[in-house]
Amino acid sequence: MTVPIAYDVTRLFYGPLSRTPRGIDRVDFALAARLFRHTAQPCVGVMPTAWGMRVFSPHLVRRGLVRLQRLWAERRSIEDDALWHGLVEELKGGNALDTDMVLPPRFSNWQRVKRMGSMLGATGFTLGGSTATHVPDRAVYVNVGHISLAMPFFLRWLDKRPDVTPVFMLHDVIPLDTPHYVSRSSARHHATMVASTARHAAGLLVTTESAQRTVTDALARFGRTDIMTLAQPLPVPRVFHTPCDPDPELAGTKYFVICGAIEPRKNHALLLDVWRGLTADMGEDAPHLVIIGSPAWRSGEILGQLHDSPSLRRRVHVVSGLSSPSLKRLLAGALGLLMPSHAEGFGLPLIEAARLGVPVMASDIPAHREVVDNQALLLPAQDARAWDAAIRHWTNGERPRAQPRPMQDAMDEREAYFTAIERFLSECSAKRQAELAASNIKARPRRPMADTQDDAGIPAVARAGNSSADPV
């Protein structure tokens, strides 16, 4: 069954304000790229704004995705990644740089305006024009980016369009279940997202069965137990489909990697305690720890520990803004990926490392148990002694041998993921339309999608085929 898709592009539209994408940005981008490259899947991009609904043709959405990919520099070669070269020099020298982090320069106001102007030029955004009535009849509204979920005003149009089937993605409800790991504003925003989902959603996408249990429990508190839900593990990004050789400049340099936003939930504090012991006992023979991630809530307290310990700073390095190819190269040469998180909804870095054949050491929590195989070492998140002992063993060469997984497996898993999503969207639509029919609620007379036009006035359906500029 082929159903029209109205894909919320709000997060993607504001993507140029970030130098590199976060995990949720990559998920949003990947699903949008898939849907808008399908000739059999009629799609439009939608973005609720203070000036009303904006509706974008498939052609304009694809142009926006291609432009965003360039602005994020996701295909930037390692040779052109200045952050990578700075990190390599720091690891080779064993001395911390003058700055606390290897950071890209911040965007100036002019740079922000220029980057957003580039996106505006690609997508043809205007203040006037389309409204919610331009959303195709009986469409499935897909919201992966969350932004509109935290702003109920932008979802009011759904009340006037009962023929539209809203399907949202919620990765977890960690801010509600463990509020001490997030800021108060984050907890409030997440509560609003759950309330918005409970009010509007006909379908729900989650990443693991453990996340599904916690999310559905939260929705049940709002009286919603009837939402169709699909728990589907996220696919590995394409860049990790192929093997990668370690950087020869780092040959002989022993290091571990932790990847994720720098915040209390990720449990960087445990690793810093372990590295104090390692540097005290092993001196210059201690392995390095590379912390990859953007500073988040209370990151100052976490990273502030490096100020008080020169020996720790010589072995702990923090970098934000690496391109995906550079991250892949860094992981390829690591002794292991460490992920001692207190709570996770999924844990994509674990899958990325395993795909490259890099050993994984992670906290023993439900999400990790679900997504990693039996080669991963799972340890209690609070047991610093166990982590210390395991890291010492791996540093001395007593670590599991992992093999990179075949590229075809990754491609098959990716295809299976998107196929399951598309099937689920159709099932949600069929259920919604059956409910409408049973309640005698009539949809508006069907209007062909050609009513939505691109900047050249060409009907959307006529431009729905693959383009040579399609993102990958």
Side-chain angles (χ1 to χ4, degrees):
M1 175 183 175
T2 299
V3 297
I5 301 294
Y7 194 91
D8 193 304
V9 297
T10 306
R11 176 175 287 277
L12 297 172
F13 183 82
Y14 289 105
L17 297 178
S18 301
R19 189 177 298 273
T20 56
R22 297 172 55 198
I24 187 174
D25 298 316
R26 287 189 170 93
V27 174
D28 199 8
F29 185 97
L31 184 53
R34 166 70 178 213
L35 291 174
F36 283 93
R37 290 178 66 192
H38 260 236
T39 56
Q41 198 82 33
C43 298
V44 295
V46 297
M47 185 169 72
T49 73
W51 304 278
M53 177 70 73
R54 303 276 77 77
V55 180
F56 302 89
S57 72
H59 174 60
L60 289 179
V61 173
R62 285 197 299 272
R63 283 179 54 180
L65 292 175
V66 171
R67 185 64 54 85
L68 180 57
Q69 193 172 49
R70 291 173 182 169
L71 291 171
W72 276 341
E74 278 293 271
R75 293 182 177 179
R76 180 178 54 200
S77 67
I78 295 176
E79 290 73 18
D80 296 332
D81 191 344
L83 291 173
W84 166 257
H85 295 297
L87 177 61
V88 169
E89 290 303 313
E90 189 172 344
L91 285 169
K92 286 167 55 180
N95 295 312
L97 300 180
D98 292 335
T99 57
D100 292 334
M101 297 182 67
V102 181
L103 287 170
R106 291 184 177 181
F107 288 138
S108 65
N109 290 336
W110 168 243
Q111 285 175 314
R112 291 173 182 268
V113 170
K114 185 177 179 180
R115 287 170 68 88
M116 284 305 303
S118 178
M119 179 60 80
L120 289 170
T123 59
F125 178 89
T126 60
L127 294 183
S130 52
T131 67
T133 60
H134 288 79
V135 175
D137 296 309
R138 301 179 180 87
V140 177
Y141 168 62
V142 181
N143 188 316
V144 172
H146 291 172
I147 291 179
S148 300
L149 298 186
M151 302 178 182
F153 171 80
F154 291 135
L155 296 176
R156 289 181 182 176
W157 68 275
L158 290 170
D159 295 330
K160 301 177 182 179
R161 293 294 307 273
D163 62 301
V164 171
T165 305
V167 177
F168 304 147
M169 175 177 279
L170 286 179
H171 293 265
D172 55 64
V173 286
I174 291 173
L176 305 185
D177 291 343
T178 54
H180 50 287
Y181 290 137
V182 301
S183 66
R184 291 183 179 179
S185 62
S186 178
R188 287 196 302 270
H189 288 163
H190 213 86
T192 302
M193 288 166 50
V194 173
S196 296
T197 302
R199 177 177 178 181
H200 296 289
L204 181 65
L205 300 170
V206 295
T207 55
T208 59
E209 292 181 2
S210 59
Q212 179 179 355
R213 289 191 292 270
T214 58
V215 170
T216 53
D217 285 347
L219 291 169
R221 292 194 284 271
F222 287 87
R224 288 300 306 274
T225 59
D226 59 330
I227 301 176
M228 295 180 65
T229 305
L230 175 66
Q232 193 75 10
L234 296 173
V236 177
R238 287 182 182 273
V239 68
F240 291 94
H241 284 192
T242 55
C244 180
D245 294 326
D247 193 303
E249 290 192 66
L250 295 178
T253 301
K254 296 182 177 181
Y255 64 90
F256 291 85
V257 173
I258 176 175
C259 185
I262 303 172
E263 58 185 355
R265 177 171 63 90
K266 299 293 185 178
N267 204 12
H268 294 82
L270 176 139
L271 295 182
L272 293 179
D273 286 343
V274 169
W275 250 262
R276 284 192 187 89
L278 293 175
T279 55
D281 296 344
M282 302 173 67
E284 295 303 310
D285 292 328
H288 297 265
L289 173 64
V290 181
I291 299 175
I292 303 175
S294 300
W297 182 64
R298 294 180 62 183
S299 60
E301 299 174 24
I302 298 168
L303 299 179
Q305 300 179 50
L306 301 179
H307 286 284
D308 304 326
S309 176
S311 60
L312 195 60
R313 291 190 64 188
R314 284 195 293 271
R315 281 294 181 269
V316 178
H317 318 271
V318 188
V319 60
S320 177
L322 279 180
S323 66
S324 291
S326 296
L327 171 60
K328 178 182 176 181
R329 175 70 65 87
L330 184 69
L331 282 173
L335 293 177
L337 174 78
L338 309 178
M339 200 161 177
S341 306
H342 292 293
E344 291 285 351
F346 185 66
L348 189 57
L350 303 180
I351 308 302
E352 294 170 344
R355 179 63 60 187
L356 298 176
V358 177
V360 168
M361 189 184 305
S363 53
D364 190 4
I365 58 178
H368 289 171
R369 289 196 294 270
E370 189 172 336
V371 302
V372 300
D373 57 28
N374 54 14
Q375 292 183 339
L377 177 60
L378 299 181
L379 300 171
Q382 305 287 358
D383 193 343
R385 290 186 178 182
W387 284 82
D388 181 275
I391 290 170
R392 289 173 189 262
H393 281 303
W394 285 20
T395 301
N396 294 327
E398 301 174 24
R399 64 188 182 121
R401 291 186 178 183
Q403 293 296 326
R405 296 181 181 178
M407 179 177 66
Q408 188 60 47
D409 287 355
M411 296 172 63
D412 291 344
E413 290 170 4
R414 188 178 184 86
E415 180 63 26
Y417 174 81
F418 289 121
T419 299
I421 295 292
E422 291 165 356
R423 185 185 304 114
F424 179 71
L425 296 181
S426 294
E427 291 171 353
C428 290
S429 176
K431 181 183 178 184
R432 167 57 65 94
Q433 300 313 318
E435 291 172 345
L436 291 179
S439 59
N440 295 319
I441 298 178
K442 296 182 179 180
R444 297 176 300 119
R446 177 174 285 277
R447 184 183 61 254
M449 287 187 66
D451 280 10
T452 302
Q453 298 183 337
D454 65 17
D455 54 344
I458 301 174
V461 172
R463 300 296 297 269
N466 285 346
S467 164
S468 59
D470 278 346
V472 296

